[in-house]
Amino acid sequence: MATQLPILVVGGDGLVGRALVAYLRRRGRTIVATSRRAGVGDLRLDLADPASWPDLPPASAAVFVAAVARLGDCERDPALAERINSIAPAKLAARLAGCGTFCLQLSTDKVFDGTI
């Protein structure tokens, strides 16, 4: 039987990410959890700084759960919120999909102003 590739959890140290990582590991899956903070998670990945992105390991799937989630933070810096919640995940997903990785992004309403 072939070895399964790991699942990449982008934002694996956040509220949703920690729960997802724990759930998948209890079911025997190998997980690579990222964090923007150095020394946290398995791999440092800061969505705000694409130039710093490391080479990523091959993965069967990537789940994007990183986000600027506090409304006040989004209102203070809407450009940063858009970059982290929308632009960077799309860029990273394209990179991963190009290597055959299935990508899933949890949605957030912290990008739009509610007028559309």
Side-chain angles (χ1 to χ4, degrees):
M1 182 164 107
T3 303
Q4 285 185 320
L5 291 173
I7 296 173
L8 178 68
V9 178
V10 178
D13 63 328
L15 181 67
V16 174
R18 283 190 314 267
L20 178 61
V21 167
Y23 174 85
L24 292 170
R25 284 184 173 153
R26 280 193 310 271
R27 276 144 187 81
R29 291 306 306 255
T30 301
I31 305 300
V32 175
T34 75
S35 173
R36 65 181 161 82
R37 294 183 284 278
V40 177
D42 303 311
L43 185 65
R44 185 170 188 281
L45 182 92
D46 185 352
L47 290 176
D49 185 12
S52 73
W53 291 354
D55 290 333
L56 298 171
S60 60
V63 182
F64 294 80
V65 294
V68 178
R70 292 183 180 93
L71 187 55
D73 293 340
C74 295
E75 289 171 340
R76 273 187 291 288
D77 194 342
L80 179 64
E82 181 181 25
R83 188 165 66 245
I84 290 173
N85 293 356
S86 180
I87 296 168
K91 181 184 274 190
L92 186 57
R95 179 172 153 185
L96 290 164
C99 297
T101 302
F102 176 82
C103 297
L104 173 69
Q105 181 176 2
L106 269 61
S107 182
T108 176
D109 63 352
K110 303 305 187 274
V111 175
F112 308 106
D113 64 6
T115 60
I116 53 175

